[in-house]
Amino acid sequence: MTDTGPTEEETPDGLLGWCLVANVARETAHGESGLDIQHGTKHFRAGALLWLPPVRWDPGHGRWPAVGRHRGNGRRYVHMIVRADDLENFRVKGVYSEALVRSLNGYEHDPAAPRTLQNPWTRERAQDRADARNHFREALFIDGHRYAHPRISVPNPPPAEIQIDGETLHLVSYGTWGAHYSRTPAPVEWTPES
């Protein structure tokens, strides 16, 4: 979903470029097995808008560089590495601020060209990344082993039962590490008759 605005043929006044953006999730999972639920992250409040420049280097699996207003000082932009799992509502927005351009450029910012993004997104590429992340599919584990099939994964949240190769699998647990299924159904909880 893109922000409503001008089409590609129309360039709004003051537009300096396009950028992929996302919000910090309302609840983020931390700690062992993701059992420590927090509101936002250490550096950004829940719902904070983060600008995600194109990745030039790999900050680690599932981590992205991000620019946003820090939890402690909401007036200045800061550049941090965040977990992709802590972000939601990916979309494309236009960049209009020179201060934001300076932060997105980082060390490569050229003071002689303060309104130039050094490594810009194209609107189409940013939209493709937003769509892919908004329709993210979870890893699949069967009886404790990762099911490595390039085209089979489950949606988020995963269904209680799935069919793979004619076999019915039952959801056992679901967490930050993916959906865990078993070939045997979960035991039915006994309820006393009233």
Side-chain angles (χ1 to χ4, degrees):
M1 149 170 117
T2 59
D3 289 347
T4 57
T7 62
E8 216 33 68
E9 294 82 37
E10 305 171 26
T11 302
D13 292 337
L15 178 70
L16 304 176
W18 299 103
C19 193
L20 177 66
V21 299
N23 296 97
V24 175
R26 299 285 175 215
E27 293 183 344
T28 57
H30 300 275
E32 188 175 332
S33 300
L35 297 177
D36 180 19
I37 304 298
Q38 298 177 3
H39 298 285
T41 68
K42 178 179 179 182
H43 298 289
F44 299 108
R45 296 182 192 280
L49 178 67
L50 297 184
W51 300 79
L52 308 169
V55 177
R56 290 184 177 209
W57 50 274
D58 184 11
H61 178 69
R63 298 184 183 279
W64 288 352
V67 171
R69 297 191 189 273
H70 196 273
R71 182 185 283 266
N73 179 0
R75 296 181 353 186
R76 295 184 138 192
Y77 288 108
V78 294
H79 197 274
M80 297 279 177
I81 302 299
V82 297
R83 293 184 328 158
D85 290 341
D86 292 343
L87 303 177
E88 62 186 9
N89 192 19
F90 289 79
R91 60 201 183 280
V92 180
K93 285 186 72 113
V95 177
Y96 294 90
S97 162
E98 286 184 25
L100 180 56
V101 168
R102 187 170 42 253
S103 293
L104 289 170
N105 287 342
Y107 293 113
E108 297 177 356
H109 184 67
D110 181 7
R115 300 174 54 83
T116 303
L117 281 168
Q118 298 300 327
N119 184 24
W121 285 98
T122 63
R123 189 173 188 179
E124 295 81 20
R125 194 171 121 221
Q127 186 62 52
D128 288 345
R129 180 63 66 94
D131 291 343
R133 191 62 200 182
N134 286 334
H135 301 294
F136 184 67
R137 296 177 68 83
E138 295 290 339
L140 177 65
F141 293 83
I142 299 173
D143 291 329
H145 301 288
R146 186 179 183 106
Y147 187 71
H149 192 286
R151 291 183 303 256
I152 297 178
S153 58
V154 294
N156 183 355
E161 291 182 349
I162 60 171
Q163 291 278 334
I164 294 180
D165 298 330
E167 187 176 24
T168 301
L169 302 172
H170 309 276
L171 183 64
V172 175
S173 66
Y174 172 64
T176 56
W177 303 109
H180 294 259
Y181 284 88
S182 174
R183 290 181 171 85
T184 58
V188 178
E189 185 175 322
W190 179 79
T191 55
E193 294 181 23
S194 2

